[in-house]
Amino acid sequence: MRWKDGLKEGVALGGLLLIFAGLPWALRAYESGRVRRLADGRPVFTVYANATFGTWTTTPLVGWTYFWRKPEPAHIQVRAGQPFVLRITSVDVHHSFGIPQLGIGPYDVEPGRFLELELQIDEPGLYTFMCYTVCGRHHEKMMGTLEVLGEGP
Amino acid sequence: MSARSDVVTEPVVERPAPKRPYLKGRWVDLFERVRPLKGLLRWRSFQFLAILPNLFLFYLFILAALWGTPVGSRNIMIVFVWILWWFALITLLVPLAGRLWCTMCPLPALGEWLQRLRLVTVRFAPKAKGFKNVLFGLNRKWPKALDNIWLQNFLFLTLATFSALLVTRPIVSAFVLGGMIVLALGLALVFRHRVFCRYLCPVSGFLGLYAMTSSVALRSRDWDVCVRCPTKGCMLGSENGWGCPWMVYMGKLDRSNYCGLCFECLKSCPNDNIGLFVRPFGVTETRILHLDEAYKAFIMLVLAAVYSVTLLGPWGTFKDWANVTETANWRGFLTYAALVWGACLVVFPTVYGLLVKVSQWVSRWLGRWVLAPAPAAANGAGEPDFRTLFLRFSYPLVPLGLLAWIAFSLPLFFVNGSYILSVLSDPLGWGWDLFGTAHVPWKPLIPEWVPVLQAVVLLGGLAVALRTGWAIARELWHDPRRARWGLAPMAGLWLTVTIGFLWLFTG
Ligand code: SF4
Ligand code: SF4
Ligand code: SF4
Ligand SMILES: [Cu+2]
């Protein structure tokens, strides 16, 4: 191979590798930067609404896990008085999120969209969040828990 | 400049007109009109650079299908592939430029690059017998029995049967695209050239068939030059270009079906004998040569009808059957699959074949009894046989089918177009808003005009079908009266199909 051809091949191969390695990295980096800015030091919980199983879950349900992973019902723990962020999305149909005991919601949860709630709960206790729209056969089962622990260690 | 021939000092060399049997009607050689275009397409890095952005996009689609939301309408995989790409392909790329998508398609690229062990330059082996480029891999020849598009027909039908899953589930699309990439790669290592594209790619069959209508075609500028050409660089390769990866010999090429517009021959032809011709849509290249191609035309037309019924029509149950994931109704789905395959491979071809028979009878009967029998026609000699009629008359179904597909795709694009904007800002459904368009509300575009557009498109298809049908009939029966009678049953079919689609679309 002449050196000029070699150079061309090298540049082309470089471009190719840049795409293969760079794109996944860029997607991840952009996302984590965005979530970090959103969190602003607070804990962030991502909750997925799933109508097939009738659950709110923190098990990540994305393209490749959605079909085989059995989602566990969400159990979120925070400390009383500690601000935190809830990111809620739906992986299938329209749901509606609310915590009746705390007078939070109901908020619409749209498929493929994120509802971002910035919360702080001062009263320790065990709270249940639920779905306010009939979203399918398992709508009744759609319950997750938010456990607010007392202050201190 | 003298009118008197005896003053001419130089002998006028009589140059024979270039032999271009594929030229009919008005043609323009784009390379002569647009000079820089030739330079661009000759540039060795051109195809690589055309593929690169698409490789980037398809890679993004696959990543989005794996990591992004499983919700189809919020995932770039579904929205870009099945709304944007499909629409651009069927309404613009194919009718205007045929297989131009294959120029920039990333799916077989990895395999081809591995086969060549080069991305932008050529490997040249001047002493090699036959092919003048060295290809990595086993370099097997594709079996003769599979040298047709039947496999593509079946693969396309299979994908079409599962289309409801394909167009709603990003991960299913990712598996199909990923599977195509892996298969193309594996085949590239076993066989010479792009056998995946020629014989397996499910998209290839219809791209090839509909490329016959396209307004742009790459051809040898003079077949006589090819006859005298000692190197046959276009097919065998040279120091400037790879031998045709699509196994096409330019010196005989008069149909666009299997030329993947990679423009290698433009680089490898030592005689500067490749031209890019612009021609009127749909009317110049009307020879369907084999049964697999005719069946492709049937399949495409029937599928356009099936999709129009399931996606746009008023029949809900049919819709449910197609959509197994939502209903888990396997028996319904199997019925649907059987109906689709039966309609494509048995019912339509049978009806069509019967009409061809009728056409043959009518013209023959008329030839015997009504019209003054031509000497040759009296004993049936010179009559086109059934097979010829069957193949030749399947061509008008090509423009008819293509325009039916365009008509079908119009509402899908105009209705779901707003998803394109929102997914552009949030490709993975992760809650991003890159360009501030993530929350564009879903809004159908010009809904009141869509049926009008569809009707215009369908009638355009009918017009092209009738025009080419008439030309074909004239070639088959030299007597125009018999051509007219022979054409009638066929024209009836095209008219019925058009009315059927009109009724489906405008209800
Ligand atoms: S035949 Fe199929 S895989 Fe090959 S270039 Fe064309 S679209 Fe891509
Ligand atoms: S290399 Fe050029 S001149 Fe020779 S056969 Fe091919 S197209 Fe014709
Ligand atoms: S004839 Fe072959 S080399 Fe030339 S553009 Fe078509 S596919 Fe490429
Ligand atoms: Cu719900």
Side-chain angles (χ1 to χ4, degrees):
Chain A
M1 210 185 325
R2 286 171 301 161
W3 72 269
K4 236 172 137 183
D5 282 359
L7 187 68
K8 281 185 200 159
E9 288 295 331
V11 172
L13 189 64
L16 211 57
L17 292 178
L18 192 69
I19 289 182
F20 277 121
L23 184 59
W25 177 84
L27 292 174
R28 292 287 190 194
Y30 185 80
E31 172 69 356
S32 61
R34 218 182 56 88
V35 173
R36 209 177 314 118
R37 268 193 308 283
L38 174 78
D40 197 15
R42 301 166 291 184
V44 177
F45 302 95
T46 306
V47 177
Y48 302 82
N50 180 318
T52 318
F53 288 94
T55 37
W56 300 103
T57 183
T58 47
T59 312
L61 292 184
V62 292
W64 73 282
T65 54
Y66 171 73
F67 287 93
W68 53 269
R69 245 202 204 169
K70 191 174 170 342
E72 294 299 323
H75 180 83
I76 295 170
Q77 278 186 337
V78 289
R79 296 217 161 265
Q82 178 198 34
F84 63 101
V85 180
L86 273 187
R87 301 173 71 233
I88 306 163
T89 187
S90 158
V91 294
D92 37 46
V93 294
H94 175 96
H95 298 267
S96 179
F97 175 91
I99 309 177
Q101 292 133 293
L102 296 169
I104 294 174
Y107 297 104
D108 283 341
V109 178
E110 301 292 345
R113 299 277 201 199
F114 275 86
L115 168 71
E116 284 161 356
L117 296 176
E118 311 193 332
L119 299 171
Q120 174 181 343
I121 295 153
D122 297 323
E123 201 59 40
L126 204 58
Y127 304 98
T128 306
F129 45 88
M130 39 208 267
C131 180
Y132 282 75
T133 352
V134 180
C135 55
R137 265 192 300 158
H138 303 291
H139 163 69
E140 305 293 321
K141 293 200 307 193
M142 277 196 76
M143 278 179 286
T145 45
L146 174 65
E147 189 177 4
V148 181
L149 306 167
E151 272 174 278
Chain B
M1 282 287 187
S2 168
R4 290 178 53 197
S5 57
D6 56 343
V7 220
V8 173
T9 47
E10 264 176 60
V12 180
V13 179
E14 183 101 6
R15 276 191 57 199
K19 189 175 173 203
R20 298 172 179 173
Y22 47 81
L23 284 178
K24 268 184 237 154
R26 279 171 298 125
W27 287 67
V28 173
D29 188 345
L30 258 191
F31 288 156
E32 276 167 17
R33 290 289 170 93
V34 194
R35 282 272 159 198
L37 185 64
K38 189 169 179 177
L40 178 72
L41 298 179
R42 265 212 171 144
W43 182 33
R44 275 235 54 90
S45 303
F46 170 76
Q47 198 185 14
F48 178 78
L49 290 176
I51 291 173
L52 212 57
N54 289 300
L55 185 80
F56 176 88
L57 279 176
F58 274 65
Y59 187 35
L60 174 65
F61 298 161
I62 290 178
L63 289 175
L66 294 175
W67 295 346
T69 175
V71 178
S73 58
R74 296 289 170 213
N75 193 303
I76 195 168
M77 166 63 97
I78 297 298
V79 175
F80 268 49
V81 172
W82 298 118
I83 300 176
L84 187 63
W85 173 78
W86 174 259
F87 183 77
L89 195 68
I90 202 89
T91 60
L92 293 173
L93 279 182
V94 171
L96 292 180
R99 275 188 178 271
L100 191 61
W101 166 252
C102 293
T103 309
M104 50 186 154
C105 173
L107 300 177
L110 297 185
E112 188 163 79
W113 293 333
L114 194 61
Q115 207 177 48
R116 293 175 173 176
L117 293 177
R118 294 290 185 280
L119 297 169
V120 289
T121 60
V122 198
R123 290 167 89 194
F124 181 50
K127 297 222 173 65
K129 272 206 215 89
F131 295 107
K132 297 290 183 237
N133 318 114
V134 188
L135 291 181
F136 175 70
L138 298 180
N139 279 306
R140 292 262 166 81
K141 266 185 89 172
W142 186 252
K144 198 92 199 109
L146 297 176
D147 183 9
N148 50 53
I149 63 168
W150 283 114
L151 280 175
Q152 289 175 350
N153 285 349
F154 291 126
L155 284 174
F156 186 79
L157 257 179
T158 309
L159 285 189
T161 314
F162 291 98
S163 61
L165 273 176
L166 209 56
V167 302
T168 48
R169 298 297 183 202
I171 194 77
V172 179
S173 287
F175 267 114
V176 170
L177 292 183
M180 283 164 78
I181 292 173
V182 171
L183 192 61
L185 194 92
L187 288 172
L189 291 179
V190 177
F191 297 100
R192 205 167 234 292
H193 304 311
R194 282 197 185 198
V195 292
F196 175 78
C197 293
R198 273 289 309 249
Y199 303 116
L200 282 156
C201 168
V203 198
S204 183
F206 93 83
L207 285 178
L209 186 77
Y210 287 165
M212 294 177 81
T213 67
S214 98
S215 304
V216 166
L218 197 72
R219 295 285 187 274
S220 147
R221 292 201 294 173
D222 186 350
W223 281 17
D224 285 336
V225 173
C226 292
V227 169
R228 291 192 304 268
C229 166
T231 64
K232 306 283 190 259
C234 58
M235 190 172 53
L236 301 176
S238 75
E239 73 267 39
N240 297 318
W242 299 90
C244 176
W246 291 72
M247 297 158 268
V248 165
Y249 170 50
M250 262 295 171
K252 281 268 166 61
L253 188 74
D254 59 355
R255 304 194 313 153
S256 298
N257 302 48
Y258 308 114
C259 159
L261 292 181
C262 69
F263 302 110
E264 281 302 325
C265 52
L266 191 61
K267 297 154 190 147
S268 57
C269 171
N271 300 318
D272 189 19
N273 195 29
I274 305 290
L276 188 64
F277 296 95
V278 177
R279 55 186 189 176
F281 169 81
V283 294
T284 45
E285 195 178 308
T286 63
R287 283 179 320 116
I288 287 197
L289 297 180
H290 308 286
L291 214 53
D292 51 345
E293 293 168 354
Y295 266 74
K296 185 82 220 175
F298 304 155
I299 292 171
M300 292 309 291
L301 190 68
V302 173
L303 282 180
V306 168
Y307 287 146
S308 303
V309 171
T310 50
L311 287 157
L312 310 170
W315 294 282
T317 43
F318 209 45
K319 231 182 217 170
D320 287 346
W321 290 348
N323 214 347
V324 244
T325 39
E326 311 303 334
T327 57
N329 179 359
W330 285 102
R331 179 181 289 206
F333 176 74
L334 286 178
T335 318
Y336 164 83
L339 280 176
V340 171
W341 284 65
C344 289
L345 299 178
V346 181
V347 179
F348 188 87
T350 308
V351 171
Y352 172 79
L354 286 175
L355 282 171
V356 171
K357 256 297 170 244
V358 171
S359 150
Q360 198 180 15
W361 282 333
V362 170
S363 65
R364 186 172 291 172
W365 180 77
L366 278 165
R368 272 287 148 86
W369 303 106
V370 182
L371 309 172
N379 52 10
E383 288 281 339
D385 57 29
F386 178 74
R387 190 188 152 81
T388 308
L389 284 175
F390 190 92
L391 291 178
R392 292 302 314 271
F393 271 139
S394 61
Y395 174 75
L397 297 174
V398 171
L400 201 69
L402 175 58
L403 288 164
W405 271 99
I406 294 178
F408 161 76
S409 307
L410 284 172
L412 292 185
F413 180 76
F414 285 113
V415 168
N416 299 316
S418 41
Y419 286 131
I420 294 172
L421 285 179
S422 72
V423 112
L424 198 63
S425 274
D426 186 10
L428 291 93
W430 278 355
W432 293 6
D433 197 358
L434 294 174
F435 308 105
T437 55
H439 296 279
V440 170
W442 177 80
K443 185 167 157 284
L445 256 141
I446 53 165
E448 64 282 8
W449 284 102
V450 168
V452 181
L453 276 177
Q454 286 178 298
V456 170
V457 166
L458 284 172
L459 292 175
L462 180 63
V464 178
L466 288 172
R467 187 175 154 188
T468 51
W470 175 239
I472 291 167
R474 285 303 309 274
E475 283 173 33
L476 293 169
W477 296 283
H478 299 290
D479 182 341
R481 289 169 301 181
R482 302 180 67 195
R484 213 169 293 143
W485 280 103
L487 180 67
M490 294 293 125
L493 174 70
W494 306 328
L495 193 67
T496 314
V497 167
T498 308
I499 291 173
F501 275 109
L502 274 175
W503 175 70
L504 268 176
F505 292 151
T506 58

